[in-house]
């Protein structure tokens, strides 16, 4: 039997900052990965960044950064967040990785060659400023859901993936395989809304921007970002490369964790893509709900995110992990607020676990000079149930974790913690200290055993807390395959030390967090001052110098993007009787339709130069602001014949 466990998160859009909602997916997957490692499985845990597409190209432009620098900056940010939350990924894939790009191209070529991709016209409702097609149902009040402007019917040439050919397959997979998509409610929703009505062929190419993976059979198009992104789950394992040993070892994936907004991509496009490639299906797509704030999904576009680094710096990464794993949206949406967060730290981590730890270690310190005593007097009516709980908790966690029920596993562990606190109240060790040292020895021994079991199990969920707890209890982590009550683990030296968790004043923290968080969730960084070139004042010239420049009015007859460049436009400009080709670096700001037919001012006596293989004879004058955010053509106030002089 395979002893591997391959778990994935979605790859995050490299556009903005990560918020608590994003962290849910990854912390959840991390807990599953860690638990399975502890069970002795050979685990591969994959996460990464989704870096292509118009949105990201635009985000980079809006930040005045080269897109390559922008995505690198986002990846650094993602890795900082994952470090703060102790995410133990085995690989961080980037869709800009050359190996990934090669894999996407290989797959597209295969699908094209086997007739699963064909060329046609894409028809839809197009938002010109956003350069994006929408379906009727995606519109908000009949307008673009992103910018709110009117959309228009449009069509363009594109390549289509024959999803419809696989209708029968996908119908059976979603309807009959109860394990493929969990929870059941999501499976029913996807089936009813997307599968039953029939899947349509999918346009998998875009030609209106260039930041993407070029189609190998038509380089004028780049791959639709979802096709590019989904392939990460197998390109990361070397699928289709010279070394596909990881793919052979770990595929099919055991669990792919996704939020409910992207479940349909993972349960329709993804399995069909795999089927077309004759690759076995993932064993399970686990689709969780959203963290919400005031009823809305926490999202970067709404600016209602909560910054995980701020929280983890102030309270520790494990507090964030605990809140997400215990109260996070395992299936349904759940609300998040600073108040809920701080209250949970106080009640569960500080009161329940923290107090149990300090009471136990303090009493061992006080009564047995820090050394865990040998158990003596047993009182079955008090001890049996406690011992049974200690012996049963691991099996219950194992059972829960077979279905990725992280929430249940945490609950079982904390039920034990709460029971242990009750055991203290029931056995009153502070009285035993005066009356019955032998019984006290057993009670404190049992509490120490309980905390050792808790520490061992917590490794998967709260790794830092587990380490600290072990240090306090004077134990090394025990064997995960044998988490049981024993009567022979005494003699260790405990270290009372600092409390495990601090108790917070809820009101004060909420006021602070809500202020701090607002500032912390800043958009992606703007370029530093040094990056924006200040315009140096130029040297004075004489009228004779100026006279050397041959400026004339031209009329733009045609304009088109230069192949393989996202910056250059090749313009055909009429200047009097002459027609010239002039290449301008303005594609980032202006589309051909913005300049065709316009009068422009041309520097006519500039030496010709070749740009991307195209000879450019002259220069079109533009006005550009200091930060290079805005560029506009310099034109004539009234119409005037082309060739007219400018002086
Ligand atoms: O969707 N609560 O990336 P992404 C819970 N690049 N989960 C949330 C959430 C919230 N408020 N907001 C976002 C993408 N998420 C694609 C994935 S995979 C081949 C491509 C979750 O950065 C969201 O549901 O927009 C998704 O699972 C993950 O964060 C990444 O979202």
């Amino acid at each position: 039997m395979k002893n591997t466990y391959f778990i994935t998160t979605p790859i995050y859009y490299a556009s903005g900052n990560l918020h608590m909602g994003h962290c849910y997916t990854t912390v959840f997957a991390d807990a599953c990965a860690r638990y399975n490692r502890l069970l002795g499985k050979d685990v591969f845990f994959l996460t990464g960044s989704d870096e292509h597409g118009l949105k990201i190209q635009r985000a980079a432009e809006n930040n005045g950064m080269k897109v390559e620098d922008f995505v690198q900056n986002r990846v650094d940010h993602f890795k900082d967040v994952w470090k703060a939350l102790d995410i133990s990924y085995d690989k961080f894939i980037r869709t800009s990785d050359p190996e990934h790009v090669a894999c996407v191209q290989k797959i597209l070529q295969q699908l094209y060659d086997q007739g699963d991709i064909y060329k046609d016209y894409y028809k839809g409702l197009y938002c010109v400023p956003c350069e994006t097609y929408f379906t009727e149902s995606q519109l908000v009040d009949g307008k673009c859901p992103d910018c709110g402007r009117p959309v228009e019917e449009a069509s363009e040439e594109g390549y289509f993936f024959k999803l419809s050919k696989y209708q029968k397959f996908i119908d059976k997979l979603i309807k009959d395989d109860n394990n493929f998509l969990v929870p059941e409610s999501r499976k029913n929703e996807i089936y009813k809304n997307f599968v039953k009505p029939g899947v349509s062929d999918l346009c998998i190419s875009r030609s209106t921007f260039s930041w993407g993976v070029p189609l190998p059979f038509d380089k004028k198009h780049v791959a639709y970002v979802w096709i590019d992104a989904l392939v990460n789950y197998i390109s990361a394992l070397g699928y289709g490369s010279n070394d596909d040993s990881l793919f052979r070892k770990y595929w099919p994936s055991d669990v792919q964790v996704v939020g409910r907004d992207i479940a349909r991509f993972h349960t329709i496009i993804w399995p069909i893509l795999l089927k077309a490639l004759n690759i076995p299906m993932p064993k399970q797509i686990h689709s969780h709900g959203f963290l919400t704030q005031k009823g809305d999904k926490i999202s970067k576009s709404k600016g209602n995110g909560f910054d995980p680094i701020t929280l983890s710096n102030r309270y520790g990464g494990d507090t964030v992990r605990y809140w997400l794993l215990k109260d996070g949206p395992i299936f349904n949406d759940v609300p998040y607020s600073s108040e809920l967060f701080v209250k949970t730290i106080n009640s569960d981590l500080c009161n329940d676990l923290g107090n149990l730890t300090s009471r136990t270690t303090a009493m061992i310190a006080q009564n047995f000079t820090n050394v865990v005593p040998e158990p003596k007097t047993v009182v079955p009516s008090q001890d049996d149930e406690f011992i049974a709980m200690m012996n049963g908790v691991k099996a219950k966690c194992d059972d829960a974790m077979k279905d990725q029920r992280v929430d249940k596993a945490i609950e079982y562990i904390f039920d034990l913690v709460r029971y242990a606190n009750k055991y203290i109240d029931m056995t009153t060790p502070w009285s035993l200290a005066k009356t019955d040292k032998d019984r006290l020895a057993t009670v404190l021994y049992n509490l120490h055993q309980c905390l050792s079991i808790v520490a061992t199990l917590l490794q998967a969920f709260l790794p830092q807390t587990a380490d600290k707890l072990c240090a306090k209890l004077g134990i090394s982590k025990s064997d995960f395959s044998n988490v049981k009550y024993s009567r022979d683990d005494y003699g260790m030296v405990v270290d009372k030390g600092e409390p495990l968790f601090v108790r917070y004043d809820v009101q004060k923290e909420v006021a602070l967090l809500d202020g701090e968080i607002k500032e912390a969730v800043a958009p992606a960084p703007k370029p530093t001052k040094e990056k924006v070139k200040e315009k140096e004042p130029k040297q004075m010239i004489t009228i004779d110098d100026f006279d050397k420049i041959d400026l004339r009015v031209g009329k733009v007859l045609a304009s088109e993007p230069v192949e393989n460049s996202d910056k250059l436009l090749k313009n055909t400009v009429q200047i009097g009787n002459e027609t010239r080709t002039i290449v301008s670096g303005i594609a980032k700001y202006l589309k051909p339709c913005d300049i065709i037919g316009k009068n422009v001012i041309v520097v006519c006596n500039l030496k010709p130069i070749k740009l991307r293989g195209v000879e450019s004879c002259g220069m079109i004058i533009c006005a550009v602001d200091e930060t290079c955010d805005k560029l506009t053509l310099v034109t004539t106030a009234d119409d005037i014949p082309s060739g007219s002089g400018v002086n």
Side-chain angles (χ1 to χ4, degrees):
M1 214 182 81
K2 256 185 143 183
N3 194 35
T4 57
Y5 183 81
F6 179 33
I7 184 162
T8 68
T9 72
I11 46 172
Y12 292 83
Y13 280 127
S15 52
N17 281 5
L18 294 176
H19 53 65
M20 282 287 272
H22 294 123
C23 293
Y24 179 68
T25 318
T26 302
V27 168
F28 174 84
D30 182 69
C32 298
R34 284 177 184 268
Y35 201 91
N36 280 279
R37 274 190 209 111
L38 289 163
L39 287 175
K41 294 208 180 157
D42 181 343
V43 172
F44 196 85
F45 172 22
L46 176 69
T47 190
S49 53
D50 190 352
E51 301 183 9
H52 290 134
L54 185 63
K55 255 193 213 171
I56 286 156
Q57 188 177 314
R58 286 257 165 88
E61 282 164 12
N62 291 340
N63 281 280
M65 287 167 94
K66 261 175 64 188
V67 67
E68 291 82 358
D69 295 343
F70 179 77
V71 292
Q72 177 63 55
N73 175 290
R74 296 297 75 206
V75 167
D76 293 344
H77 162 71
F78 291 178
K79 289 187 175 172
D80 285 347
V81 175
W82 301 149
K83 193 163 170 225
L85 299 181
D86 274 307
I87 303 300
S88 61
Y89 55 81
D90 294 293
K91 182 172 169 101
F92 188 103
I93 185 164
R94 302 181 55 172
T95 52
S96 59
D97 288 341
E99 300 79 13
H100 169 79
V101 171
C103 181
V104 173
Q105 289 188 319
K106 196 164 178 184
I107 286 173
L108 288 171
Q109 187 67 53
Q110 181 183 333
L111 296 176
Y112 185 67
D113 293 345
Q114 69 191 35
D116 274 320
I117 290 179
Y118 63 93
K119 196 173 186 178
D120 200 347
Y121 278 86
Y122 187 80
K123 295 182 202 72
L125 298 160
Y126 191 63
C127 172
V128 180
C130 295
E131 291 183 48
T132 308
Y133 281 97
F134 296 101
T135 60
E136 191 90 48
S137 61
Q138 289 171 321
L139 302 182
V140 176
D141 299 331
K143 302 210 168 113
C144 170
D146 289 344
C147 73
R149 281 181 266 210
V151 292
E152 56 193 56
E153 279 188 17
S155 80
E156 70 173 287
E157 206 176 58
Y159 289 87
F160 287 74
F161 180 27
K162 278 188 192 163
L163 294 187
S164 59
K165 178 176 145 189
Y166 297 91
Q167 175 71 37
K168 263 199 186 144
F169 156 76
I170 203 71
D171 198 289
K172 190 165 161 30
L173 178 71
I174 304 295
K175 203 165 63 181
D176 295 351
D177 187 340
N178 285 332
N179 229 353
F180 178 70
L181 170 58
V182 291
E184 173 132 15
S185 57
R186 200 90 70 237
K187 166 187 144 125
N188 296 339
E189 182 189 307
I190 296 272
Y191 186 76
K192 182 170 140 243
N193 296 338
F194 300 104
V195 179
K196 200 160 170 240
V199 290
S200 323
D201 293 351
L202 174 77
C203 183
I204 51 104
S205 67
R206 298 290 184 266
S207 58
T208 45
F209 60 90
S210 56
W211 179 239
V213 178
L215 300 191
F217 42 85
D218 189 343
K219 299 253 162 55
K220 288 198 294 296
H221 296 256
V222 292
Y224 171 42
V225 70
W226 267 101
I227 293 288
D228 174 0
L230 287 165
V231 166
N232 94 84
Y233 300 128
I234 49 176
S235 71
L237 299 178
Y239 172 79
S241 75
N242 291 338
D243 178 5
D244 65 354
S245 50
L246 289 178
F247 178 74
R248 280 185 281 115
K249 182 172 179 190
Y250 291 107
W251 193 263
S253 51
D254 290 85
V255 186
Q256 300 205 235
V257 186
V258 301
R260 69 176 168 86
D261 53 336
I262 58 171
R264 76 191 160 98
F265 297 97
H266 285 83
T267 53
I268 298 175
I269 305 175
W270 180 222
I272 292 183
L273 186 72
L274 292 168
K275 176 79 181 160
L277 297 168
N278 204 15
I279 295 176
M281 292 304 119
K283 289 185 205 147
Q284 184 163 93
I285 306 293
H286 173 112
S287 168
H288 63 75
F290 291 145
L291 273 190
T292 60
Q293 193 199 12
K294 297 190 183 123
D296 276 345
K297 174 188 176 197
I298 292 182
S299 90
K300 45 191 171 211
S301 58
K302 291 196 187 102
N304 59 356
F306 288 85
D307 181 40
I309 293 195
T310 305
L311 294 176
S312 112
N313 282 348
R314 186 161 177 83
Y315 308 99
D318 274 0
T319 62
V320 178
R321 290 177 67 101
Y322 182 77
W323 192 88
L324 291 171
L325 297 176
K326 183 202 171 217
D327 286 333
I330 184 146
F331 293 132
N332 299 321
D333 293 1
V334 301
Y336 177 81
S337 72
S338 308
E339 187 177 342
L340 289 170
F341 177 73
V342 179
K343 280 187 168 164
T344 302
I345 304 181
N346 280 353
S347 69
D348 298 17
L349 296 178
C350 184
N351 285 3
D352 295 343
L353 180 59
N355 275 350
L356 176 65
T357 310
S358 20
R359 292 210 275 177
T360 305
T361 50
M363 288 189 285
I364 294 176
Q366 215 177 343
N367 296 290
F368 296 95
T369 55
N370 292 312
V371 179
V372 180
E374 184 181 355
K376 299 263 170 58
T377 316
V378 173
V379 178
S381 62
Q382 293 184 332
D383 298 350
D384 284 1
E385 195 176 339
F386 190 27
I387 293 173
M389 263 185 110
M390 288 188 236
N391 278 331
V393 64
K394 166 72 167 27
K396 282 166 100 178
C397 288
D398 284 354
D399 241 24
M401 291 304 287
K402 272 187 202 133
D403 296 327
Q404 283 69 240
R405 291 305 302 261
V406 174
D407 56 333
K408 283 193 176 170
I410 293 250
E411 197 182 313
Y412 296 140
I413 301 170
F414 276 78
D415 279 350
L416 178 60
V417 168
R418 280 182 280 270
Y419 191 91
N421 277 317
K422 275 198 208 137
Y423 179 78
I424 296 184
D425 297 340
M426 181 167 64
T427 52
T428 59
W430 49 88
S431 315
L432 294 175
K434 293 179 208 142
T435 57
D436 188 347
K437 212 92 196 255
D438 279 358
R439 178 63 185 146
L440 178 66
T442 310
V443 167
L444 294 184
Y445 176 85
N446 286 348
L447 290 169
H448 185 270
Q449 272 291 294
C450 169
L451 280 170
S452 306
I453 290 173
V454 167
T456 305
L457 292 174
L458 279 184
Q459 290 174 85
F461 310 103
L462 311 179
Q464 290 192 16
T465 306
D467 283 351
K468 280 192 210 159
L469 194 49
C470 285
K472 282 181 177 301
L473 298 172
I475 58 167
S476 50
K477 279 169 225 155
S478 70
D479 177 5
F480 204 71
S481 63
N482 188 29
V483 183
K484 274 215 184 97
Y485 178 82
S486 145
R487 289 194 69 84
D488 307 317
D489 287 341
Y490 48 86
M492 309 82 154
V493 177
V494 301
D495 174 18
K496 186 173 169 277
E498 294 291 300
L500 263 189
F501 293 98
V502 182
R503 198 183 160 75
Y504 293 95
D505 175 327
V506 176
Q507 257 190 343
K508 214 171 108 197
E509 292 304 308
V510 168
L512 192 126
L513 280 178
D514 287 352
E516 201 170 295
I517 278 168
K518 265 185 219 127
E519 280 157 37
V521 183
K526 288 270 176 203
T528 51
K529 268 268 184 299
E530 302 81 85
K531 282 195 187 150
V532 178
K533 261 200 186 155
E534 297 276 337
K535 281 239 180 291
E536 297 264 330
K538 289 188 180 160
Q539 196 188 331
M540 298 294 255
I541 58 168
T542 64
I543 188 83
D544 291 334
D545 291 328
F546 181 69
D547 207 32
K548 285 184 195 152
I549 306 172
D550 183 8
L551 289 175
R552 276 185 279 152
V553 176
K555 194 174 203 82
V556 182
L557 302 178
S559 175
E560 59 180 291
V562 171
E563 220 173 78
N564 296 329
S565 165
D566 51 1
K567 297 200 179 68
L568 301 176
L569 288 184
K570 176 181 156 194
N571 309 300
T572 309
V573 185
Q574 185 181 6
I575 305 163
N577 296 328
E578 196 191 346
T579 306
R580 293 191 186 198
T581 297
I582 303 178
V583 177
S584 316
I586 55 177
K588 230 170 77 174
Y589 308 92
L590 300 168
K591 292 197 277 295
C593 61
D594 295 326
I595 76 166
I596 294 172
K598 291 254 165 78
N599 281 349
V600 288
I601 309 300
V602 179
V603 182
C604 288
N605 58 340
L606 206 61
K607 273 197 184 144
I609 154 176
K610 262 202 174 169
L611 293 164
R612 294 266 166 162
V614 184
E615 185 165 64
S616 176
C617 302
M619 182 169 90
I620 295 176
I621 304 256
C622 295
V624 59
D625 78 347
E626 230 189 9
T627 57
C628 297
D629 271 341
K630 206 169 155 68
L631 175 145
T632 180
L633 286 179
V634 175
T635 180
T636 56
D638 296 306
D639 206 2
I640 186 166
S642 78
S644 304
V646 177
N647 37 45

